[in-house]
Amino acid sequence: MLEIHLFGRPQLRYDHAAFPFRAPERALSVLAYLLLHPGKPLARDAVAAALWPGLADQQARAKLRTHLHYLTHGGLPPLATPWILADKRTVRWNPDARAWVDAIAFEQLAASPETEEEAAALYAGDLMEAYEDEWLLAPRKRLRQRQEELLAALVHRHRSAGRAGRAMEFANRLRALDPWREDAVRAVMALKLETGDRAGAMQTYRDFVLYLADELGVAPMPETIAAYERLSSGEMPDSASARRIAPPRTVLPAYITSFVDREIEVHALRQSLSDRRLVTLTGTGGVGKTRLAVEAARKLVDRFTDGVWVVELGSLADEELIVPAIAGVLGLVQTDESALVAWLSDRNALIVLDNCEHLPAVAAIAQRLLQSCPGLRILATSREPLRVTGEYVERVPSLPTPVLEGPLFPSFAQLRETPSVKLFLERVADVSPAFAMRDDSEADCRALVTIAQRLDGIPLAIELAAARASSLPIGVLAERLEDRFYLLTGSDRTALPRHQTLRATLDWSYESLSDGERTVFSRCGVFSGGWTSAAAQAVCTLLPAWQLEDVLSTLVDKSLVQVDQRGADPRYTMLESMRDYAIERLDKLGERDEVHALHAAYFALLANENAWFGSRPPSWIAALTPELDNLRAAMSWALHAGKNVRTGAALATAFGWYANVDPMLIEAANWCDEALTALGDDPDAELEAPLRLALARCDAWLMHYQDAVAASERAMALFEALSRPVELVLAMYFKARCLSYVGETEKARAYADEALRLAQESGDLRSVAYALHAKARVTADAQQRDALMLAAAEAFRAIGNPHGAIVALIDLGESRYAAGDYEAALRDAKEALTYLSEDVEMHWADIVLARCNAAAYALAVDDVEAARTFAQGAVELGYRIGDHRIGWAFGHLSAVALARGDFATSAKLLGASNKQYEQISWKREPTEEHVYVKVLGALRRALPQERIDGYMREGSGWRTAEAVAASLAL
């Protein structure tokens, strides 16, 4: 367990011992920011701007990358499960990493009266007190205020129970935290008097008077002076002046179920209400707006001396009843607005107006009350904003659902810490005490993940599903949630009718829409993974662009659609439950196939409108990356349903050229196969030829060389018949490349020569780049081979294909390594890495490969430390993306362990490396084979064979995570 202490001076402890933070102190700010912003992934741009607000965007992003590197390379202990999850757009603290953070524990413990003392004990000083980062000011202030509230509550609790000594301890801590708090001074005076120390009580007052005069030049408050005068005259101080203010009269519902994992939102809401007079919580139906508002109000009872009330408006059908409803909750006899204003005009009060969306008059009433009553604050809940001047809108998100990353499925212990899963399990325990999950059953864990994800983390849906767990096994429940609207019928008869089923709450929202809003909502249900305005225009063909933008904004306001405005173009999304409902509505309108056809046509055009064929320009990659789910949905409709095979084939071809990491390459090859099958026995050559070429590419990168040769041969025949020499050269490139890998060098050389001749005749630089690369790979003369490879790299750069240039440089390094020029090989690998960035997903597989090669080359020049760094980097990234090459890196790290004299770990890592090769039925590449033979020979000279065999068996028995942990621990 990693302990992270952020209160006072930051420090880390690992396995109960201090952990030296081998990174710049500034990296601690990055770490703290990630820890204090849990939940969904954070946009890199936003994090960089918050941490380095004075720098230009590019400089801030570079700083963030640098400090993330420090954190993951020495700043934090090595771990198989990464502490930090990052991709090219987002970064977050890994919720599955086992870490305890004092600031987070503080807020969790502070939420319950039973653990308030434990919380107060954790506060060892202000949050990162020596740091002056601008972003720290708000959380530091919030946590300090929370500590003051806790200490004041503990003074009151212990004094009421007659424990004056304990009350005094907390009163003195409160004074130390805030020397100007006069309620704490009065509490100390009263407590000293109660314990018989009248002189001490009077001295406390005199010291405080001097302190105020010296520091601020002011006198004490009248209440404090009055308490001293009573003390001087021999009277007991008035209890109201010494104790915490008694809780005000409140009207808040008392829930019988627990409140799960909204502490951060509660604290944020409390802060908002301290700064603003009207706050509106918006969000989709069932997301938990009411419960969040009530819990936040409950935490604010001490701040509003004249009362906190919740007024439920959801059951009102007549707007004339709004004011009487508010007055009735306040206990007023007169129920007109003038009486309400007169009563509230001089009071410090909070009113929660719950479920306002169906009553437009609420907005005007709220505005009039706020204008007439300066001490009043209003917290409203609604599915859309009230649109009142001065209103601050906070959108209530769904509860986080499990995020599946990496090859290992999370354990039950990890899953139950996810808020949506935690809520489900708690509600199941409420309705079915006999319910039991098999903690060690992956099937049950997968069912749990399915339930949380299909319900989008919506509390209402989760609670309705939990009610079904009393009669359905968890696996069956997960399966039946495919039809969630029929399954999730509630049994809480006290709830409003529209809250008793998931369908009812969505029906309520849908029926309130205009005709245009219904059209856009139902048609946008066809999108998977979100959409842009341009994509929406493609499926909502009857609406002009300006009107569509307005409708989308309205749907966002009504909490039926979410929008992310961090990119150049806004990106819209729907929760899965909303999407299913929208598609159902589309079915009822009889428009589903029409809209799917428009959707598929748009994404087929997007996937093919750039000059991607054989070049993979970054602009094309960037355009397709956010749309992968839409591409999959379009292919599924076009191919599986057989609706439009031509469109499906075009999409599969594009997907085959986009893929660049093993899991996606496998998926792309499958889509190409499906498209070829859908084309039938006599396919159109114009469609089949590019599909075969894309399939050859996927198989070549997956090292399925025989399959790649067959696909490229068919593509060659088709492109030759179609008189398309550019694509013919590409097909020859893949055939020559794969033939060289299987040892058919002469055939490979013939195809490479012919490809180069055709490319030069065509004058097409793309085909020239590929032909030069193919020719270089089969050229025997080392000098000529290196010159051709450099020429290929330059040609790839010229056509804007960095991936091709990187591969050429990697191959150049392998060529030089094979020739014994290890220094040059290492330079080539390092140069390839300068073109690559972990922020760019399309680079990931290349980074792993280049790092593996660099590790081998570093070993060859006896730079063991550099080899360790390169190989561990390959393991970290390869494990995250599921790349098979971590087996290569295990072998290189085996050599590192050997160089350090750790023969046992060296042999175990060789065994782990063998296992990776066996799982994918591959042989080692020449470079890796060279390292393997060298290490095994050295081990045999150092240890008996039976010991080596035993260690290797142990390593081959490791799970991947165990092998990764051992690798990173070197």
Side-chain angles (χ1 to χ4, degrees):
M1 175 69 74
L2 175 65
E3 297 176 26
I4 304 173
H5 298 264
L6 299 179
F7 285 129
R9 182 172 180 79
Q11 58 177 303
L12 278 65
R13 294 181 63 80
Y14 189 60
D15 284 346
H16 311 294
F19 181 81
F21 189 72
R22 299 187 182 93
E25 284 207 1
R26 185 67 178 158
L28 273 174
S29 293
V30 179
L31 175 63
Y33 191 93
L34 299 181
L35 291 167
L36 296 175
H37 293 80
K40 294 185 177 179
L42 305 169
R44 276 178 175 262
D45 289 350
V47 176
L51 288 161
W52 290 277
L55 295 183
D57 291 348
Q58 188 173 3
Q59 291 175 299
R61 286 194 295 269
K63 290 277 191 183
L64 178 61
R65 281 195 301 272
T66 300
H67 287 85
L68 285 174
H69 175 82
Y70 283 131
L71 284 174
T72 55
H73 293 78
L76 296 170
L79 190 71
T81 301
W83 297 109
I84 294 170
L85 302 176
D87 57 32
K88 63 181 180 180
R89 292 184 299 275
T90 65
V91 62
R92 67 185 299 202
W93 180 260
N94 185 354
D96 292 337
R98 295 193 62 212
W100 175 91
V101 184
D102 60 352
I104 295 174
F106 170 82
E107 299 203 73
Q108 292 170 342
L109 292 168
S112 172
E114 291 78 16
T115 52
E116 283 181 340
E117 284 196 34
E118 293 179 59
L122 289 177
Y123 196 94
D126 286 342
L127 181 73
M128 301 185 70
E129 58 189 8
Y131 288 70
E132 298 180 358
D133 296 43
E134 188 175 309
W135 74 267
L136 275 168
L137 299 180
R140 181 181 289 159
K141 177 183 177 183
R142 175 174 57 78
L143 291 169
R144 184 187 178 91
Q145 288 176 341
R146 185 67 182 117
Q147 175 71 347
E148 290 180 19
E149 293 169 4
L150 285 178
L151 293 172
L154 290 167
V155 172
H156 175 66
R157 182 185 307 162
H158 285 294
R159 185 163 186 264
S160 299
R163 296 186 290 269
R166 288 289 285 159
M168 182 75 77
E169 290 177 29
F170 291 111
N172 284 327
R173 287 182 61 185
L174 182 56
R175 285 193 66 194
L177 187 62
D178 186 353
W180 291 284
R181 273 192 76 129
E182 297 199 28
D183 59 343
V185 173
R186 295 194 297 272
V188 170
M189 290 166 59
L191 288 164
K192 285 187 175 182
L193 187 63
E194 289 179 12
T195 56
D197 185 9
R198 185 170 181 275
M202 298 182 72
Q203 189 60 46
T204 297
Y205 173 79
R206 296 189 190 105
D207 291 343
F208 183 63
V209 170
L210 292 173
Y211 178 76
L212 284 180
D214 290 343
E215 295 291 328
L216 300 177
V218 299
M221 293 171 63
E223 297 96 317
T224 309
I225 296 172
Y228 174 72
E229 289 174 348
R230 287 190 294 273
L231 185 64
S232 300
S233 65
E235 298 179 29
M236 286 284 288
D238 180 61
S239 61
S241 68
R243 299 184 183 186
R244 187 179 64 166
I245 296 172
R249 185 167 73 88
T250 65
V251 177
L252 294 172
Y255 292 100
I256 60 174
T257 56
S258 59
F259 183 59
V260 175
D261 280 300
R262 290 284 200 191
E263 289 82 4
I264 292 173
E265 287 92 336
V266 167
H267 289 312
L269 190 50
R270 291 173 64 202
Q271 185 62 44
S272 297
L273 283 165
S274 69
D275 301 333
R276 300 171 176 87
R277 297 188 60 212
L278 173 60
V279 176
T280 302
L281 294 180
T282 65
T284 187
V287 80
K289 300 182 293 293
T290 297
R291 187 66 185 270
L292 176 58
V294 170
E295 295 303 328
R298 200 182 308 283
K299 298 286 186 182
L300 289 164
V301 163
D302 290 349
R303 281 195 198 172
F304 293 96
T305 54
D306 293 310
V308 176
W309 294 269
V310 173
V311 183
E312 164 53 43
L313 302 177
S315 59
L316 300 185
D318 186 348
E319 294 185 339
E320 297 295 325
L321 298 176
I322 297 172
V323 170
I326 299 172
V329 170
L330 297 179
L332 303 185
V333 176
Q334 291 182 287
T335 58
D336 57 278
E337 190 169 326
S338 60
L340 186 59
V341 169
W343 196 86
L344 289 169
S345 60
D346 61 350
R347 282 178 163 80
N348 174 34
L350 170 66
I351 294 177
V352 179
L353 300 178
D354 189 33
N355 288 312
C356 303
E357 57 270 355
H358 63 302
L359 300 169
V362 169
I365 293 169
Q367 189 166 33
R368 291 196 296 269
L369 289 176
L370 291 169
Q371 288 171 343
S372 304
C373 310
L376 175 66
R377 277 171 166 70
I378 292 177
L379 172 59
T381 74
S382 177
R383 296 188 189 178
E384 55 187 296
L386 300 185
R387 297 181 181 85
V388 172
T389 302
E391 176 186 29
Y392 178 74
V393 178
E394 285 200 8
R395 298 194 183 277
V396 180
S398 300
L399 291 172
T401 58
V403 177
L404 304 183
E405 294 177 336
L408 295 182
F409 197 81
S411 67
F412 177 70
Q414 293 169 323
L415 289 175
R416 67 183 174 193
E417 295 305 315
T418 307
S420 55
V421 174
K422 185 176 181 181
L423 176 63
F424 175 77
L425 293 173
E426 289 197 12
R427 294 299 183 263
V428 168
D430 291 340
V431 300
S432 180
F435 174 85
M437 260 197 64
R438 296 168 295 167
D439 295 4
D440 59 346
S441 167
E442 185 171 319
D444 281 5
C445 287
R446 287 187 180 278
L448 203 55
V449 170
T450 298
I451 290 169
Q453 291 181 337
R454 284 182 178 166
L455 299 179
D456 298 309
I458 300 174
L460 170 65
I462 291 170
E463 296 193 7
L464 293 172
R468 289 292 186 181
S470 60
S471 57
L472 293 174
I474 189 167
V476 176
L477 177 62
E479 290 176 8
R480 293 192 183 178
L481 279 174
E482 288 283 359
D483 197 0
R484 71 197 84 190
F485 299 118
Y486 291 100
L487 181 68
L488 301 184
T489 302
S491 56
D492 181 2
R493 297 180 183 177
T494 66
L496 292 170
R498 68 175 185 270
H499 289 169
Q500 290 182 14
T501 70
L502 184 60
R503 176 184 295 282
T505 194
L506 294 181
D507 284 343
W508 171 270
S509 295
Y510 184 81
E511 295 302 331
S512 70
L513 300 178
S514 67
D515 289 343
E517 290 164 354
R518 291 179 186 179
T519 296
V520 175
F521 172 72
S522 57
R523 288 190 166 226
C524 286
V526 75
F527 293 108
S528 294
W531 68 92
T532 61
S533 298
Q537 189 68 56
V539 300
C540 302
T541 52
L542 299 179
L543 272 72
W546 65 266
Q547 186 178 354
L548 179 62
E549 294 282 357
D550 287 346
V551 171
L552 285 171
S553 296
T554 302
L555 292 175
V556 169
D557 286 343
K558 292 179 181 291
S559 304
L560 294 172
V561 168
Q562 288 82 47
V563 62
D564 182 348
Q565 295 182 319
R566 290 172 297 182
D569 296 317
R571 188 164 186 85
Y572 301 92
T573 56
M574 278 186 197
L575 297 175
E576 285 304 304
S577 299
M578 292 288 184
R579 284 192 63 239
D580 287 352
Y581 183 84
I583 289 294
E584 187 179 281
R585 286 287 180 174
L586 203 59
D587 268 335
K588 289 181 179 179
L589 295 170
E591 298 176 352
R592 186 167 181 174
D593 275 347
E594 173 195 344
V595 176
H596 266 296
L598 293 170
H599 172 271
Y602 173 80
F603 285 105
L605 179 62
L606 180 70
N608 291 280
E609 65 183 359
N610 292 295
W612 57 266
F613 201 57
S615 61
R616 289 173 53 84
S619 60
W620 180 71
I621 296 291
L624 287 196
T625 296
E627 307 297 354
L628 293 182
D629 286 339
N630 278 311
L631 293 181
R632 292 178 177 109
M635 284 188 288
S636 181
W637 174 82
L639 297 176
H640 293 171
K643 299 293 185 179
N644 192 323
V645 176
R646 295 186 68 87
T647 298
L651 287 163
T653 300
F655 200 85
W657 281 94
Y658 174 90
N660 199 43
V661 295
D662 284 3
M664 192 176 288
L665 284 163
I666 293 169
E667 180 190 2
N670 290 337
W671 281 117
C672 289
D673 282 332
E674 287 195 37
L676 288 167
T677 300
L679 288 175
D681 295 333
D682 187 21
D684 183 338
E686 293 280 358
L687 296 175
E688 184 190 0
L691 263 175
R692 296 284 183 189
L693 184 57
L695 180 59
R697 175 186 180 271
C698 294
D699 283 335
W701 288 116
L702 288 167
M703 300 187 182
H704 300 163
Y705 298 129
Q706 296 296 349
D707 292 336
V709 167
S712 58
E713 280 181 350
R714 176 62 179 164
M716 285 168 55
L718 291 166
F719 284 125
E720 189 170 13
L722 291 168
S723 299
R724 288 166 59 174
V726 172
E727 291 89 343
L728 175 58
V729 170
L730 294 180
M732 286 180 168
Y733 164 79
F734 287 117
K735 185 168 184 179
R737 181 184 182 90
C738 294
L739 286 173
S740 70
Y741 271 119
V742 297
E744 297 191 40
T745 308
E746 289 303 319
K747 286 185 179 179
R749 188 172 292 123
Y751 283 112
D753 289 340
E754 179 64 10
L756 185 56
R757 184 187 67 79
L758 287 173
Q760 290 171 337
E761 285 180 0
S762 72
D764 180 81
L765 194 54
R766 289 175 301 172
S767 54
V768 169
Y770 278 98
L772 286 169
H773 192 190
K775 176 70 173 174
R777 290 189 58 83
V778 296
T779 298
D781 180 77
Q783 188 173 356
Q784 184 184 4
R785 180 174 61 242
D786 293 350
L788 287 166
M789 203 67 79
L790 283 171
E794 288 301 324
F796 280 123
R797 290 191 192 104
I799 63 172
N801 185 354
H803 175 257
I806 291 158
V807 173
L809 285 169
I810 289 172
D811 283 347
L812 178 61
E814 287 286 81
S815 171
R816 287 174 166 167
Y817 179 80
D821 191 350
Y822 304 142
E823 294 283 358
L826 185 56
R827 285 197 304 273
D828 294 330
K830 288 179 176 179
E831 183 182 353
L833 285 167
T834 64
Y835 285 89
L836 303 167
S837 168
E838 280 198 43
D839 291 345
V840 182
E841 187 174 341
M842 66 177 281
H843 290 175
W844 286 346
D846 296 327
I847 291 173
V848 176
L849 176 57
R851 284 177 179 168
C852 283
N853 286 353
Y857 307 156
L859 287 170
V861 297
D862 295 322
D863 190 344
V864 175
E865 187 56 29
R868 181 188 68 82
T869 300
F870 285 127
Q872 286 183 335
V875 168
E876 288 176 335
L877 180 57
Y879 180 64
R880 174 150 60 91
I881 67 174
D883 195 294
H884 62 271
R885 294 179 187 88
I886 57 174
W888 300 9
F890 291 161
H892 300 331
L893 287 165
S894 172
V896 172
L898 176 71
R900 293 180 173 182
D902 187 352
F903 302 133
T905 300
S906 178
K908 291 173 187 176
L909 286 171
L910 273 193
S913 177
N914 284 343
K915 181 180 179 180
Q916 293 293 320
Y917 282 98
E918 290 166 5
Q919 287 178 337
I920 54 178
S921 301
W922 280 3
K923 294 181 179 179
R924 284 182 171 82
E925 294 291 310
T927 302
E928 282 63 45
E929 181 68 19
H930 182 256
V931 174
Y932 179 81
V933 170
K934 187 176 179 180
V935 172
L936 191 57
L939 284 173
R940 285 172 176 164
R941 289 189 294 273
L943 297 175
Q945 186 64 46
E946 58 269 19
R947 288 182 63 188
I948 297 172
D949 292 343
Y951 288 138
M952 290 183 69
R953 278 195 301 273
E954 183 178 344
S956 65
W958 280 342
R959 291 180 296 109
T960 303
E962 293 172 316
V964 169
S967 298
L968 300 182
L970 282 177

